[in-house]
Amino acid sequence: MTKIVKHIFFSQNKLFVDFEKQFSFDDNLNFGTSFKSLYKELKLDYPKYFKMDSLSKLGFLAAEVLLHNCKLNEQHLAEKVGIVIGNSSSTLLMDTKHQETLNNKAAYFPSPANFVYTLPNILTGEICIRHKIQGENAMFISSKFDAEMIATYVEILFDDKKITACLAGYIEINQESYEAFLVLIDNSNQEPTIEKQLIDIYSKYKNTTNSWKN
Amino acid sequence: MKEVFVHGSYLISSLGFGIQENMDKLYGAQSGSALIHDHKYYPEAFFGSKIDHLRFANEFENQFPNLLTEYTFFEKLLLFVVQKSIQNLHFSIDLKNTLVIISSTKGNIDLLAETERGKWENERVFLWKSAEYIQEFFKLENKVLVISNACISGVEAISVGSRLIRTGKFKNVIVAGADILSEFVVSGFQSFQSLSLEQCKPFDSERSGLNLGEAAAALVLSCSENTSPIQVLGSATSNDANHISGPSRNGDGLFLAIQSALDESKITADKVDLISAHGTATDYNDEMESKALSLANLESVPVNSLKGFWGHTLGAAGLIESIVSIESMKENKLIKTLGYENHGVSKNISVVSQSKTHKIDTFLKTASGFGGTNAAIIFQKHKQHD
């Protein structure tokens, strides 16, 4: 009863929507600069964005592209839209920043603006605020994208009638790289299992990005 | 659809080790919170709830000889509570095809401190790394699942475990949760100015913030009944979609989770005999909860918060509070809300101010956290044990 109706993949400064390249930023740009460029390209005006940590920014931008023109709120009740996200490094980049404010006892200045972003589910919270999503939400931490777990759980939520639509995927950022794979699933069609759909789509993206390294 | 039964459990908190020690102190209204003077956690003294580390080291050494230096404090807590929860089972489970779920907000975050640098491999700070060590230790075939959804992690982990059993994905699930005190977390909450300078006072008019605590617990869920008197009936999570660091003003997010959990359980609000609330004793949280309970027609149901006993234990909170509320239901005895004297929330909810005998067949556990997350889960005495 469920179908992946749209998907996006953003990594190594290239962003794809349904396998089509939509944005491409110079390989040499750091992620901060390319996120900023993407924000501009999307012509967003959302001051809260600038307070976010890089994990939330990445998830926010991914959701922005994914849900563009999707009419999610017209087709689904807020409390029937779920969000199930996987991640590996949690908020290590912000954790490190918060820890640095503690290391020098003479200049001890932990900041609430940093600390609030030391929880990985803040990224789902930011997406929920922006898109008025109030349904089931989960944040799973695994060493890499775990399609089986995400799919299993999303299927249960649909089967239990907890949700009629769901954002699912993998949002990860660490010192070396970032990756956002986000899909919109709804109950509109009969298709292969979500796991099969997730694996097929994700591996096609990974094959594309891996080929750049060669 | 399979039914989900609750089996052996174990917890370590600032009150003590194991179910009995904790229950005795909860019924006896003894708090595990105290002023902590330790630069390891914060340059100034703060009010918090700490596990007896020396005793833990001794008990761990007895349980698992010669492994004290192999694992971090967080990992040792998890290993210990999982082992104890299995020992407390009335039947044997095949660990190989049991799923273990870990609930934690920050895991080994204390390893980021300068004093810890170089002692452990870099990856050790990741939650999935802790999960790998647990999997390896117990020789589990299934990858250990990690849930990190702020302060609802513990309730959500039980919810996810129950769903995986109900749909037949797993026969047994061990839900293990832990969070430890660290300078990282204490300084963060201090910077938010959300820590109370004294023992916290949930739902009280003089409440002045929360106490942080550390705890660890494990709970075994199974599709087989095996003399278990307790079932998980239904559960839900929701999001306020309002603010990342403050709860919704009107309680609608938590209400959605409560209503969805009641609906799934096929019961109405009047069948609930006890609510184990989140009750952190911050102004906004307790007020929001009173509104959500009112929206759900639960104002007349006894509600308690256990944060006055052991503080807010973050990723472990939902789990330890579910475990002792299950005991409380088995014994038909309400635990009072330590710290509560004068009603201090706008809705007329029925905060338990004295521990007393009370028939409990069904209880609701709720939790809410940063990121606007809420969770609700309903436990019930199995019909045959009425």
Side-chain angles (χ1 to χ4, degrees):
Chain A
M1 285 212 335
T2 51
K3 185 190 179 184
I4 294 178
V5 289
K6 192 172 172 187
H7 46 89
I8 77 118
F9 188 83
F10 182 29
S11 186
Q12 299 175 42
N13 291 354
K14 289 171 188 60
L15 191 153
F16 296 80
V17 179
D18 295 341
F19 300 128
E20 299 279 324
K21 198 192 283 180
Q22 291 241 323
F23 298 102
S24 180
F25 306 107
D26 194 296
D27 280 349
N28 300 318
L29 290 182
N30 62 27
F31 68 78
T33 315
S34 65
F35 289 7
K36 203 176 285 174
S37 308
L38 178 57
Y39 180 90
K40 277 187 192 150
E41 293 271 5
L42 297 173
K43 300 188 174 54
L44 297 171
D45 179 20
Y46 194 71
K48 271 188 238 175
Y49 172 83
F50 299 98
K51 294 183 179 174
M52 295 179 197
D53 72 321
S54 41
L55 179 67
S56 288
K57 279 180 176 162
L58 177 60
F60 175 90
L61 292 170
E64 211 59 30
V65 176
L66 181 75
L67 296 177
H68 183 63
N69 285 340
C70 262
K71 299 192 169 69
L72 189 68
N73 299 119
E74 288 171 34
Q75 292 166 356
H76 302 274
L77 292 170
E79 65 263 36
K80 290 290 183 186
V81 182
I83 180 162
V84 177
I85 304 292
N87 157 275
S88 171
S89 305
S90 186
T91 51
L92 188 67
L93 293 183
M94 186 51 96
D95 292 353
T96 309
K97 207 165 160 184
H98 175 66
Q99 185 67 44
E100 280 165 5
T101 68
L102 311 175
N103 288 343
N104 183 354
K105 301 297 169 202
Y108 199 83
F109 58 99
S111 133
N114 286 346
F115 183 65
V116 70
Y117 286 101
T118 62
L119 290 165
N121 66 297
I122 298 298
L123 101 85
T124 51
E126 293 284 13
I127 294 172
C128 287
I129 292 169
R130 171 70 168 169
H131 301 284
K132 194 66 187 165
I133 292 170
Q134 291 204 271
E136 290 279 341
N137 50 105
M139 175 59 69
F140 296 112
I141 308 289
S142 53
S143 59
K144 55 186 196 306
F145 175 52
D146 186 348
E148 185 189 358
M149 182 56 220
I150 301 275
T152 299
Y153 195 59
V154 172
E155 298 265 14
I156 291 174
L157 296 178
F158 275 106
D159 289 347
D160 282 356
K161 309 261 186 294
K162 294 279 187 191
I163 55 172
T164 57
C166 192
L167 269 69
Y170 181 68
I171 314 279
E172 161 67 10
I173 187 161
N174 53 53
Q175 264 109 351
E176 282 87 44
S177 62
Y178 68 89
E179 184 176 303
F181 173 53
L182 198 63
V183 309
L184 175 64
I185 307 169
D186 75 13
N187 54 358
S188 62
N189 207 346
Q190 185 73 48
E191 284 277 331
T193 63
I194 295 177
E195 184 181 351
K196 172 107 176 57
Q197 294 178 63
L198 275 179
I199 290 171
D200 288 351
I201 297 168
Y202 184 73
S203 36
K204 198 165 164 187
Y205 277 128
K206 287 301 266 190
N207 287 339
T208 312
T209 50
N210 286 342
S211 67
W212 302 335
K213 289 175 189 156
N214 300 331
Chain B
M1 284 289 169
K2 294 183 166 46
E3 293 182 301
V4 182
F5 297 93
V6 175
H7 292 278
S9 59
Y10 189 83
L11 81 155
I12 299 173
S13 74
S14 56
L15 290 180
F17 291 55
I19 305 287
Q20 200 52 53
E21 263 188 57
N22 276 277
M23 294 312 293
D24 287 347
K25 290 188 177 160
L26 290 162
Y27 289 138
Q30 288 181 53
S31 176
S33 300
L35 209 54
I36 297 173
H37 300 263
D38 188 341
H39 286 221
K40 183 179 149 196
Y41 299 120
Y42 199 64
E44 295 156 26
F46 69 101
F47 218 87
S49 308
K50 202 170 156 234
I51 289 170
D52 182 342
H53 286 224
L54 265 179
R55 178 174 169 197
F56 177 70
N58 285 329
E59 299 227 1
F60 187 87
E61 177 64 26
N62 289 339
Q63 187 71 46
F64 305 116
N66 306 319
L67 290 177
L68 268 176
T69 55
E70 297 289 309
Y71 296 98
T72 66
F73 182 51
F74 170 70
E75 292 156 4
K76 280 184 282 199
L77 285 171
L78 287 175
L79 293 173
F80 192 79
V81 294
V82 168
Q83 180 70 24
K84 288 285 188 184
S85 71
I86 296 166
Q87 286 172 4
N88 288 348
L89 283 175
H90 296 292
F91 62 105
S92 64
I93 54 170
D94 186 357
L95 269 190
K96 269 192 187 162
N97 39 39
T98 293
L99 174 72
V100 173
I101 304 180
I102 293 175
S103 116
S104 181
T105 63
K106 295 310 299 175
N108 275 327
I109 198 67
D110 55 327
L111 305 190
L112 282 188
E114 270 189 330
T115 50
E116 296 299 309
R117 206 160 287 174
K119 289 187 188 167
W120 307 89
E121 75 268 32
N122 286 340
E123 282 187 341
R124 203 69 178 241
V125 75
F126 294 122
L127 277 164
W128 54 263
K129 196 67 192 174
S130 304
E132 284 184 359
Y133 278 107
I134 306 296
Q135 181 182 352
E136 184 188 281
F137 186 88
F138 290 107
K139 299 183 174 61
L140 305 163
E141 268 174 19
N142 297 301
K143 227 185 312 175
V144 170
L145 186 62
V146 179
I147 292 177
S148 188
N149 204 351
C151 306
I152 72 161
S153 301
V155 176
E156 183 163 42
I158 306 174
S159 166
V160 171
S162 301
R163 287 167 174 172
L164 292 169
I165 289 174
R166 205 164 34 72
T167 50
K169 303 281 182 217
F170 294 95
K171 284 186 172 153
N172 306 301
V173 172
I174 301 175
V175 180
D179 262 310
I180 60 172
L181 282 178
S182 62
E183 182 178 33
F184 186 99
V185 171
V186 176
S187 68
F189 275 92
Q190 280 285 19
S191 75
F192 258 101
Q193 299 184 316
S194 49
L195 296 190
S196 173
L197 302 170
E198 53 185 354
Q199 189 188 299
C200 73
K201 298 173 172 172
F203 303 112
D204 190 85
S205 56
E206 303 283 303
R207 68 184 182 279
S208 55
L210 58 84
N211 302 144
L212 281 172
E214 57 187 0
L219 174 70
V220 182
L221 304 170
S222 173
C223 64
S224 44
E225 188 182 342
N226 273 309
T227 76
S228 163
I230 310 292
Q231 274 181 283
V232 178
L233 284 193
S235 57
T237 62
S238 69
N239 197 287
D240 291 340
N242 175 54
H243 198 281
I244 49 163
S245 59
S248 107
R249 290 295 171 99
N250 55 18
D252 60 341
L254 177 57
F255 165 68
L256 286 174
I258 293 173
Q259 196 55 54
S260 174
L262 286 169
D263 291 346
E264 186 187 345
S265 304
K266 297 190 174 64
I267 61 167
T268 46
D270 58 306
K271 294 282 182 275
V272 178
D273 303 310
L274 164 70
I275 302 151
S276 171
H278 193 47
T280 57
T282 63
D283 269 347
Y284 290 130
N285 175 79
D286 292 8
E287 177 61 18
M288 178 280 287
E289 280 189 277
S290 85
K291 287 176 175 163
L293 295 178
S294 172
L295 283 172
N297 287 320
L298 290 163
E299 282 191 26
S300 61
V301 179
V303 52
N304 66 11
S305 157
L306 303 175
K307 300 293 194 289
F309 291 98
W310 47 37
H312 188 357
T313 56
L314 308 178
L319 197 52
I320 61 173
E321 289 158 17
S322 292
I323 288 172
V324 304
S325 299
I326 287 166
E327 294 304 311
S328 174
M329 176 157 72
K330 284 183 192 164
E331 297 171 24
N332 290 306
K333 208 169 162 190
L334 295 174
I335 302 165
K336 75 181 247 180
T337 304
L338 194 65
Y340 172 79
E341 282 172 19
N342 301 305
H343 198 75
V345 287
S346 66
K347 298 296 174 184
N348 197 23
I349 56 171
S350 310
V351 183
V352 181
S353 58
Q354 279 311 320
S355 296
K356 61 183 174 210
T357 303
H358 179 81
K359 180 95 172 110
I360 309 169
D361 290 328
T362 305
F363 81 90
L364 163 70
K365 171 74 199 130
T366 65
S368 301
F370 275 172
T373 56
N374 305 285
I377 189 162
I378 292 168
F379 297 87
Q380 189 171 61
K381 267 185 204 147
H382 192 36
K383 291 169 210 82
Q384 289 158 12
H385 296 263
D386 272 357

